[in-house]
Amino acid sequence: MATLACAGGPVEVTGVAYDSRRVVRGDLFVAMRGGSSDGNRYIEAAVAHGALAVMTDSREAYEKVRQEHPEIAAALVEHGRRALAEASSAVMGHPQRKLALSAATGTNGKTTTAFLLEEMLRSAGRTCVLIGTIETHVAGEVRESPHTTPESRDVLEIFAEGVTAGATEAVMEMSSHALEQERVWGLPVEVGIFTNLTQDHLDYHGTMENYFAAKTRLFEGVGAPPPRVAVVNVDDAFGARLAASIDRSQMLRYGVVGSGEFRAEDVRMRAGETRFRMMTPVGAVEMRSSLTGHVNVYNLLAASAAAWARGMSLEQIAAGAASGAQVPGRFEVVPSKNGVTVVVDYAHTDDALRNLISLARELEKESSGRVITLFGCGGDRDRTKRPKMGRAAGEGSDLVVLTSDNPRSEEPMAIIAEALAGVKETETECLVEPDRAKAIGIAIRAARSGDIVLLAGKGHEKVQVLKGATVPFDDVAVAAGVLKEIG
């Protein structure tokens, strides 16, 4: 409960809502304009559901509430999302102040890095909250995540539940959309992590420079001071640019080929295991993880540097890395008895596809098999990356199967045609099947013992978004069914 000063006098509210359908009696309703909708259209519905007060970023809506609902406290604010964050914090008792928050941003690696960091912290006896693309964890309880970074009110509610359960640490992914839209307003970040930046989300940001600027907001502070420590991948060109703008005393750099404070040497890997010697400001430690591939060496370095910034010893960090479980939809191997390795991965950019195929090539050397890559491109998203993804798949694979991946409002074959143009720039054979379930069957049935089949793009997702419908769909379950059918 909190007392808010509004026109008409102070009012005590017991909750905050920004969705009129979730309003209960006693709530403050924050009506704000967004990119695709305007919450001010739903003020009447919120009042009907029992809202005691309204905050709005529209003078017209404010005057209307004052005139038509004099019994409702009203406040006019300049920034709706900032008001949502500040009001939610006040009503919920400022839970963000009771947690040490580590936040990861970047194109690829955010999810795995966040999972690894949480596992390291938990293995050292710390109770954590995790908010990310795949799952939300509250003191060990696992929930589905509807968004990579929710609205501030929902983040703060999760934080409050974590504090009640005894959590002292929080780890979250911060997407570029959330940073630019200020969904993370007022969250004090202890450790900020930058993984990398490659082309993605240009349908929203327009240019790579705008995309980069959105990511860098984490390190400037969004309604809060900058992070106490910045953990930055200096092997990445954009990471190197970011590092040049941050005081060295507030930064830990990491990399494999660069000269960061956290570096990997003597990297050895095989299917289901990666080992390397990690060099740090306080000595070296041997690292072992069940995660595979050079991309996960970077993720392990990022999580390790963040864990060290949170006061963990190198021994605790190494133990936490060794205990880490498989991250859903990130190089997730589907059990098979016929000698074919089937992998489900979230790779949905050309850079991520190259990394995935490169890892498959490294593992395939032992079996002398082929790499078969299935992928699609999302509809209503950046069209310029489609031929790039096609070229990346064709350049690294022995066979490409081109299919659908959440076509949304677009025609699947129109999307496929744009990706196919990139595959055709290579000499790799490409089979086209817009039905993703049938395409998975084609890819797996085309494989021989020793081959690796990569099912890229959807990873942990459990639905397929089509024009006018969202249907259940799980790459892992479909692949398992095909493998069982063919024995």
Side-chain angles (χ1 to χ4, degrees), residues 370-377 386-387 389-395 397-404 413 415-434 439 442-443 446:
R370 300 172 302 157
V371 174
I372 299 172
T373 302
L374 174 145
F375 83 102
C377 301
R386 294 172 184 174
M389 290 177 66
R391 187 163 54 251
E395 288 173 347
S397 309
D398 297 292
L399 172 66
V400 173
V401 179
L402 191 48
T403 186
S404 292
M413 288 305 298
I415 300 172
I416 286 171
E418 293 183 354
L420 184 60
V423 182
K424 287 182 175 179
E425 294 176 13
T426 72
E427 297 182 357
T428 301
E429 180 184 3
C430 181
L431 305 177
V432 172
E433 171 52 67
I442 290 170

Side-chain angles (χ1 to χ4, degrees), residues 137 171 239 311 355 416 447:
H137 300 171
V171 181
N355 288 333
I416 286 171

Side-chain angles (χ1 to χ4, degrees), residues 89-339:
S89 178
V91 171
M92 296 179 194
H94 310 289
Q96 75 277 19
R97 300 176 186 175
K98 302 166 188 174
L99 297 168
L101 173 60
S102 300
T105 198
T107 306
N108 301 311
K110 297 187 299 297
T111 298
T112 302
T113 297
F115 262 76
L116 285 167
L117 177 55
E118 187 214 18
E119 182 64 26
M120 291 173 182
L121 292 165
R122 286 198 311 113
S123 71
R126 304 188 192 182
T127 303
C128 303
V129 169
L130 171 73
I131 300 177
T133 302
I134 300 176
E135 294 172 350
T136 293
H137 300 171
V138 180
E141 178 192 342
V142 179
R143 309 172 183 175
E144 288 187 11
S145 289
H147 305 288
T148 296
T149 313
E151 291 285 358
S152 58
R153 179 248 177 242
D154 302 327
V155 170
L156 290 164
E157 182 176 56
I158 293 166
F159 282 4
E161 292 172 354
V163 169
T164 299
T168 57
E169 303 273 350
V171 181
M172 67 183 293
E173 300 176 47
M174 286 190 180
S175 68
S176 57
H177 294 70
L179 288 161
E180 184 163 302
Q181 294 169 5
E182 298 184 340
R183 282 186 251 150
V184 293
W185 182 263
L187 296 184
V189 178
E190 269 284 296
V191 181
I193 305 165
F194 181 89
T195 60
N196 52 61
L197 199 76
T198 60
Q199 183 173 332
D200 201 10
H201 303 306
L202 296 194
D203 54 302
Y204 178 81
H205 294 291
T207 68
M208 286 297 291
E209 287 302 314
N210 290 343
Y211 184 28
F212 180 52
K215 294 290 190 185
T216 60
R217 291 204 65 184
L218 169 57
F219 303 92
E220 298 163 355
V222 182
R228 179 179 62 84
V229 178
V231 174
V232 181
N233 175 7
V234 289
D235 284 357
D236 178 82
F238 284 98
R241 280 178 57 185
L242 175 63
S245 68
I246 299 174
D247 190 312
R248 184 67 62 84
S249 66
Q250 298 174 307
M251 177 171 52
L252 293 172
R253 302 167 301 162
Y254 70 93
V256 176
V257 299
S259 56
E261 286 76 27
F262 280 75
R263 305 184 309 280
E265 296 183 354
D266 189 23
V267 177
R268 294 146 284 156
M269 65 183 64
R270 60 183 183 182
E273 184 180 69
T274 296
R275 292 177 178 265
F276 61 91
R277 182 180 303 107
M278 184 169 70
M279 311 304 294
T280 81
V282 291
V285 64
E286 293 295 325
M287 299 286 287
R288 181 181 66 81
S289 171
S290 60
L291 300 179
T292 306
H294 283 287
V295 65
N296 282 315
V297 174
Y298 283 97
N299 295 333
L300 284 158
L301 288 170
S304 297
W308 190 69
R310 290 297 312 127
M312 289 182 61
S313 69
L314 297 188
E315 293 72 21
Q316 289 175 320
I317 290 169
S323 67
Q326 169 71 52
V327 182
R330 271 55 176 181
F331 208 83
E332 183 173 354
V333 178
V334 184
S336 168
K337 297 180 180 179
N338 64 357

